[in-house]
Amino acid sequence: MIPEAEPLLSVQGLRVHYPVRHGWRGKPLAVKAVDGVDLTLHTGQCLGLVGESGCGKSSIAQALLGLVPATEGVIRLDGHEITGNARVPAMALARSAQMVFQDPMSSLNPRQTIREILSGPLRLHGMTDRAEREARVAEMLSLVGMAPEVASRYPHEFSGGQRQRLCIARALILRPKLVICDEPVSALDVSIRAQIINLLLELKDRLGIALLLISHDLGVVEHMSDRIAVMYLGRIVEEGGWREIFTAPAHPYTRALISAIPDPMHRDRAPARLGGEIPSPLSPPEGCAFHPRCPLAMPRCRSGDGPEFTRISADHRARCHLLQTGNPHV
Amino acid sequence: MKAGANLYVGGGIILLIAVLAIFAPLIAPYDPITSANLMYAEEPPGAQFWLGTDEQGRDIFSRMVYGARISLFIGLAVQVMNTAIGVSLGLSAGYIGGWWDEMVQGLTNLMLSIPTIVFALALMAILGPGLLSLLIALGMTDWAYSCRISRAQVLTQKSLNYVQSARTMGFGPLHVMFRELLPNIAGPLIVVATMGVGSAIMAEASLSFLGLGVVPPNPSWGGMLSSAREQLMVAPWVAIFPGLALFAAVLGFNLLGDGLRDLLDPHGKGRK
Amino acid sequence: MTETVLDVRDLAISLCDGPTPVAAVEGVNFSINRGEVFGLVGESGCGKSLCALALAGLLKAPMAISGGQILLEGRDLSTLPPHEMRHLRGNKVSMIFQEPMTALNPLMTVGDQIGEMFVLHRGLTARAARMKAIEALEQVQVSSPERRINAYPHQLSGGMRQRVMIAIALACDPALLIADEPTTALDVTIQAEIVELVLDLCRARGTAVMMISHDLGLVARICNRVAVMYAGQIVEQRSAGDIFTAPAHPYTRGLVDALPRLGRRLERGQERLTEIGGVVPAIRDFPQGCRFAPRCGRVTPECGAAPVSMTDLNKGGRVRCLHHV
């Protein structure tokens, strides 16, 4: 499959730094939540963004939605640049990208009916005709498998899985081209997860939207994603098609993540242990950020700016010194 | 159930005062001002004058009924002003944060460090006595609590995803603050505002007592107490009944506030 | 070596806030041997955490044990007065929780919190307890324990805090360790470490472990035997090797199929995941007959008629289903 020339979303050199200060006169520091990230996502594709807490995956989502300003870098979404001088107004951005959050319990305003929640954005975006709004609300509700009659009810009347369906309906109501899903199933019961995963994949194919799936659950990521980017401490350390990532992971961190998943089919195979803790993005280690935990770390990993990307195949690259030296461990 | 009792007793007291105030011309047997007649000065309570008369021979019951109008009106109007100021400041400080938050918090701390009545006195001294100055003086000085509470509530609510979601839809800060956040923090604010009516009535009485509030001969509970001071030994009823009315009104609003808190508490059973 | 540490017989837990108690958990039977790891799996609201709280004597009103026995080394915990239960807790039975931050006292150093166990249950002096606390931290593989002992919980990372919780729980060599979703709040790479740590320590000491989780994959890999709970009942109890590869109850089957497991897409492509329709019933709405019947694909009229009891399977284990595989 050769994607068309212009991707729906392209992110280049994105940095999101949060200023912090300890006390009144403390030296101003920066939490480098995202530190130089490139991403591309084509219409109809699902990109999985994987990483542990604090790796910066949620900050990328917030920057894409315009909720936090990008410190540096260029984000192009649907032909518009949404960073720098040529900022797209919030309204236009809202029609291009929307989000489904992890916790469906807190994602719907408890004081509004489903109708208010779904039709409010339509009115804001200039749909003045009431009947037209009603029709769109009913259409979206049936799209996510809910009856149109639920529109007059309040969020607390629904179960977790139903609320997540309603959240998806809200994310789709302005017909965006990109939907960001931040851990869309991890707050749900196990027996409900399959429903939501199936629904998201079905909607992706039916509406031709692009999904940016943010998750730490590799099982979900493998099932849903076309491409996968693995993040560690604000940077992407490996990127490629799902098949390459899962069958031939190149970065030691990716391999550690995959082997940390308990495999019930092979009870004798103990998961690999990765020592140490995730460092603070306030004081990232020198050199490759992963070297303090890396079982294969070499002297050259401990200094400098960290490794650049090495291309493994046409669609697969990783940041690791081992790949450059042609190390047999890889 | 105790929670229910608070609500009903408090609500009952307030309702009674409200009925007296609204239908004052129908209820009061005499005119509160023009009925002055020195022949009947300082009559004790009896069949003709239910609660007695004051030093000018005016019927105390009639003056109290008309005084309820002033007290209730000032109490409510002042509290509406205070809540509007407090909620606007607290909501915006909590939601926007940064330098605006620090400024509002500084101002709130300043207001809390100076007793409200002293602040109001100073304002009255500038504005001069009268109903309008009273409204302004009290309505601008007692917003610190509602400000603090709305700020604290906003801080816990604004991290919730429905707020984020409204922002991603393109809604501006005013919509998010007043349409998304305000309905979700209204419960505790209603409680504070209700209790605040009691203190506003008290503050009005204090200022009137000091001669800075409602201008005589217009009847107000504080003013009646003030003029009763000199006859306290001879005609105690002149002070006792307005004092009781004040007590009942403040108690009523506090009980109502307590009852509402129990009703609106998310952990209580009163919620749908 | 089949020394039974815990024997739960016909345990029932009821919600007692109305005129008639409503059973939230009923007919729960299982036993755990010395050195064994037993898994209790289920979704939120299935009653697995209630069982754990009942075993630790921590059930809070309106929930109460309404029947059955909990025999820990032969003593019935369900009838034990609170002060004796308090003595057993931390000493014979201990618990680790999902979120270590809320289970630790934020105002005490971790050293004091571990040492407290030795002072309380072993009668050691503060000085001796401190030495033991350092030793305990060393055992849970905390680096430079002499220094970490003076740290407050908020100064530690999530993984580190969970290690401290484990040190506290295992301080007095309990006979039974209850682990309630011990890794759910942690990152993937830390999860694997914590699980292996608990298993290593308990295996070495012969501690019986009850592992409570919603993650069937995790439980199936690390436990010896697994019980699956649904709507307040155990629906299937099997050896861990079988439960994932050959589930007998339609609900267990559904859970296994619904999981987007690693490697599945390579085997079967991006097929639609099997869904379990409907939702978990609330305590007051438990169906009369088989509680899974309204969501079950193999349902027949007799499923809804009368409560279904556990039956033995030829291949070992027990299942609560009329039409099991």
Side-chain angles (χ1 to χ4, degrees):
Chain A
M1 183 184 73
I2 298 158
E4 66 269 44
E6 168 87 345
L8 175 71
L9 170 74
S10 90
V11 175
Q12 276 158 23
L14 178 68
R15 284 174 210 274
V16 179
H17 294 184
Y18 300 103
V20 286
R21 192 194 284 253
H22 289 290
W24 266 97
R25 304 243 172 122
K27 203 175 85 187
L29 294 165
V31 176
K32 297 175 178 172
V34 182
D35 204 24
V37 161
D38 301 338
L39 286 175
T40 47
L41 177 54
H42 291 272
T43 302
Q45 273 200 338
C46 175
L47 172 67
L49 197 55
V50 185
E52 296 176 278
S53 57
C55 73
K57 51 196 199 301
S58 295
S59 292
I60 291 184
Q62 299 217 309
L64 293 183
L65 294 164
L67 295 178
V68 299
T71 313
E72 222 183 286
V74 180
I75 301 173
R76 286 183 66 82
L77 177 61
D78 199 13
H80 299 286
E81 195 171 324
I82 60 172
T83 42
N85 301 329
R87 280 196 68 163
V88 172
M91 299 284 273
L93 186 54
R95 287 192 292 268
S96 299
Q98 279 300 328
M99 176 129 172
V100 175
F101 296 90
Q102 173 174 5
D103 178 17
M105 295 299 163
S106 70
S107 298
L108 302 168
N109 190 335
R111 302 276 168 180
Q112 293 179 352
T113 60
I114 302 307
R115 176 175 290 110
E116 286 167 337
I117 291 172
L118 292 180
S119 65
L122 292 176
R123 202 162 49 195
L124 177 74
H125 288 268
M127 195 185 274
T128 46
D129 181 37
R130 199 192 144 97
E132 203 183 337
R133 286 203 304 266
E134 278 293 299
R136 177 79 71 90
V137 168
E139 180 199 333
M140 285 302 152
L141 285 174
S142 66
L143 204 57
V144 298
M146 303 281 286
E149 293 81 59
V150 304
S152 51
R153 289 162 56 184
Y154 283 90
H156 69 93
E157 298 174 53
F158 299 94
S159 70
Q162 289 173 318
R163 283 192 218 194
Q164 198 59 300
R165 286 174 187 271
L166 293 169
C167 289
I168 294 170
R170 178 183 54 191
L172 294 175
I173 195 92
L174 296 175
R175 301 195 200 279
K177 302 223 169 80
L178 169 67
V179 175
I180 301 172
C181 304
D182 189 357
E183 306 277 4
V185 298
S186 54
L188 302 176
D189 271 329
V190 183
S191 69
I192 305 298
R193 288 183 186 179
Q195 298 175 13
I196 299 297
I197 292 171
N198 285 341
L199 177 66
L200 283 171
L201 287 176
E202 203 181 286
L203 290 173
K204 183 193 79 162
D205 293 341
R206 225 160 107 188
L207 307 174
I209 50 175
L211 294 180
L212 178 62
L213 171 70
I214 297 176
S215 182
H216 69 271
D217 186 334
L218 288 177
V220 174
V221 171
E222 185 201 49
H223 183 77
M224 290 182 67
S225 309
D226 300 301
R227 290 178 54 76
I228 290 165
V230 182
M231 274 190 90
Y232 189 76
L233 221 63
R235 286 189 177 182
I236 289 174
V237 294
E238 183 164 1
E239 193 187 359
W242 70 271
R243 201 178 287 272
E244 284 86 5
I245 296 286
F246 281 99
T247 52
H251 197 282
Y253 179 61
T254 314
R255 275 181 273 166
L257 274 182
I258 292 173
S259 61
I261 308 296
D263 184 352
M265 294 302 188
H266 302 92
R267 283 168 39 81
D268 46 327
R269 199 185 292 164
R273 293 192 204 187
L274 193 61
E277 300 274 342
I278 303 161
S280 154
L282 250 182
S283 52
E286 199 164 317
C288 169
F290 186 58
H291 86 255
R293 303 174 72 194
C294 182
L296 306 171
M298 309 175 292
R300 64 179 296 200
C301 301
R302 300 192 174 91
S303 58
D305 271 346
E308 290 301 314
F309 272 116
T310 306
R311 194 160 288 281
I312 298 152
S313 65
D315 191 32
H316 186 191
R317 54 184 195 156
R319 277 177 200 267
C320 183
H321 285 307
L322 287 168
L323 299 167
Q324 294 159 351
T325 51
N327 190 294
H329 284 288
V330 179
Chain B
M1 216 169 79
K2 201 174 157 287
N6 277 345
L7 193 68
Y8 293 127
V9 173
I13 295 174
I14 306 306
L15 192 70
L16 183 71
I17 297 177
V19 166
L20 287 178
I22 292 164
F23 300 106
L26 301 175
I27 293 167
Y30 303 94
D31 186 277
I33 299 165
T34 58
S35 67
N37 186 341
L38 289 177
M39 276 194 39
Y40 300 114
E42 295 179 2
E43 288 274 340
Q48 193 184 357
F49 304 104
W50 296 342
L51 301 180
T53 59
D54 65 5
E55 78 287 353
Q56 295 183 40
R58 292 174 299 197
D59 180 37
I60 295 202
F61 178 67
S62 303
R63 281 180 70 74
M64 268 174 58
V65 169
Y66 276 93
R69 285 189 151 184
I70 305 259
S71 290
L72 219 51
F73 168 71
I74 296 211
L76 291 174
V78 159
Q79 207 42 36
V80 166
M81 284 172 70
N82 276 326
T83 308
I85 297 173
V87 169
S88 309
L89 287 177
L91 203 56
S92 57
Y95 183 67
I96 297 165
W99 66 273
W100 174 244
D101 185 25
E102 287 188 19
M103 217 178 79
V104 170
Q105 272 193 282
L107 198 62
T108 313
N109 288 335
L110 187 75
M111 296 301 288
L112 283 171
S113 65
I114 303 170
T116 309
I117 198 77
V118 174
F119 219 122
L121 266 175
L123 265 177
M124 289 297 285
I126 300 167
L127 298 168
L131 200 60
L132 188 67
S133 352
L134 192 67
L135 272 180
I136 295 173
L138 291 177
M140 308 258 290
T141 47
D142 201 15
W143 46 262
Y145 284 105
S146 46
C147 175
R148 281 219 158 162
I149 285 177
S150 37
R151 177 177 174 273
Q153 293 283 322
V154 166
L155 288 183
T156 60
Q157 293 274 328
K158 82 167 176 182
S159 60
L160 295 182
N161 292 334
Y162 74 85
V163 176
Q164 299 272 310
S165 165
R167 289 179 63 198
T168 65
M169 287 296 173
F171 286 112
L174 280 179
H175 174 99
V176 174
M177 280 193 275
F178 289 96
R179 300 294 294 278
E180 305 280 339
L181 283 167
L182 190 56
N184 282 292
I185 65 169
L189 286 176
I190 290 171
V191 175
V192 176
T194 312
M195 292 187 166
V197 177
S199 13
I201 290 176
M202 199 64 146
E204 178 272 328
S206 311
L207 287 179
S208 296
F209 183 83
L210 295 172
L212 286 168
V214 178
V215 192
N218 292 317
S220 83
W221 295 346
M224 290 168 76
L225 276 172
S226 172
S227 56
R229 221 171 10 174
E230 281 139 38
Q231 299 103 50
L232 206 57
M233 305 311 273
V234 217
W237 56 87
V238 185
I240 286 173
F241 292 112
L244 278 179
L246 200 56
F247 168 76
V250 175
L251 180 73
F253 277 108
N254 276 303
L255 286 179
L256 188 65
D258 263 342
L260 282 175
R261 171 165 48 212
D262 296 337
L263 192 70
L264 298 173
D265 188 350
H267 304 295
K269 286 183 178 168
R271 222 168 180 211
K272 59 182 174 184
Chain C
M1 187 201 75
T2 48
E3 187 190 331
T4 306
V5 174
L6 177 77
D7 192 4
V8 176
R9 292 182 189 166
D10 227 13
L11 178 68
I13 301 170
S14 293
L15 174 70
C16 310
D17 65 346
T20 49
V22 188
V25 168
E26 61 182 25
V28 167
N29 284 293
F30 61 87
S31 64
I32 312 180
N33 295 330
R34 209 177 120 77
E36 195 185 21
V37 183
F38 181 79
L40 195 57
V41 192
E43 299 179 85
S44 59
C46 72
K48 59 188 194 299
S49 290
L50 283 177
C51 287
L53 291 174
L55 295 188
L58 290 171
L59 275 182
K60 286 206 181 68
M63 287 292 180
I65 296 177
S66 53
Q69 286 178 307
I70 301 169
L71 300 170
L72 181 75
E73 294 182 327
R75 278 173 86 185
D76 188 0
L77 301 187
S78 64
T79 55
L80 223 52
H83 68 274
E84 281 188 46
M85 192 62 226
R86 207 153 50 228
H87 178 69
L88 281 185
R89 210 158 42 226
N91 201 1
K92 288 278 174 203
V93 195
S94 31
M95 226 173 144
I96 48 181
F97 299 92
Q98 175 173 351
E99 185 27 83
M101 193 61 211
T102 52
L104 291 170
N105 183 340
L107 297 176
M108 275 170 81
T109 64
V110 299
D112 287 345
Q113 292 186 59
I114 304 170
E116 200 179 38
M117 301 303 292
F118 295 108
V119 176
L120 189 69
H121 294 297
R122 293 281 180 273
L124 294 190
T125 61
R127 218 187 145 72
R130 194 181 158 80
M131 296 311 292
K132 289 286 245 180
I134 294 179
E135 217 172 278
L137 275 184
E138 217 164 356
Q139 282 177 354
V140 294
Q141 296 165 13
V142 170
S143 55
S144 51
E146 313 78 23
R147 207 160 42 80
R148 291 291 170 92
I149 203 161
N150 296 318
Y152 288 91
H154 71 92
Q155 295 169 315
L156 303 175
S157 67
M160 221 34 114
R161 284 198 286 263
Q162 198 58 288
R163 286 169 193 272
V164 171
M165 272 307 297
I166 295 167
I168 294 174
L170 295 179
C172 295
D173 257 325
L176 173 69
L177 175 72
I178 303 168
D180 190 356
E181 306 261 9
T183 60
T184 308
L186 301 175
D187 275 314
V188 190
T189 55
I190 313 284
Q191 272 179 17
E193 276 176 54
I194 295 288
V195 167
E196 293 303 312
L197 177 69
V198 171
L199 292 185
D200 288 350
L201 288 174
C202 291
R203 233 173 257 142
R205 295 157 188 239
T207 314
V209 180
M210 181 160 122
M211 180 71 71
I212 294 173
S213 179
H214 68 277
D215 187 344
L216 189 57
L218 170 80
V219 164
R221 203 199 71 73
I222 65 169
C223 295
N224 303 100
R225 284 182 302 128
V226 177
V228 179
M229 279 190 86
Y230 182 78
Q233 294 175 325
I234 291 181
V235 294
E236 181 165 2
Q237 192 167 330
R238 303 283 295 281
S239 80
D242 296 341
I243 199 131
F244 214 93
T245 44
H249 196 282
Y251 175 64
T252 321
R253 162 107 263 160
L255 283 186
V256 171
D257 286 346
L259 273 176
R261 210 180 58 253
L262 219 56
R264 175 182 171 137
R265 190 170 172 189
L266 286 167
E267 292 161 21
R268 304 196 223 166
Q270 197 178 23
E271 60 177 9
R272 244 182 105 80
L273 298 172
T274 321
E275 295 179 9
I276 305 179
V279 293
V280 182
I283 292 175
R284 288 174 202 282
D285 310 326
F286 285 160
Q288 267 298 308
C290 169
R291 293 180 178 177
F292 187 61
R295 301 176 72 188
C296 185
R298 309 166 71 93
V299 66
T300 54
E302 55 264 36
C303 292
V308 180
S309 51
M310 292 287 266
T311 45
D312 287 322
L313 290 165
N314 304 334
K315 45 197 172 184
R318 295 162 69 76
V319 68
R320 194 187 292 275
C321 181
L322 298 175
H323 313 288
H324 60 81
V325 187

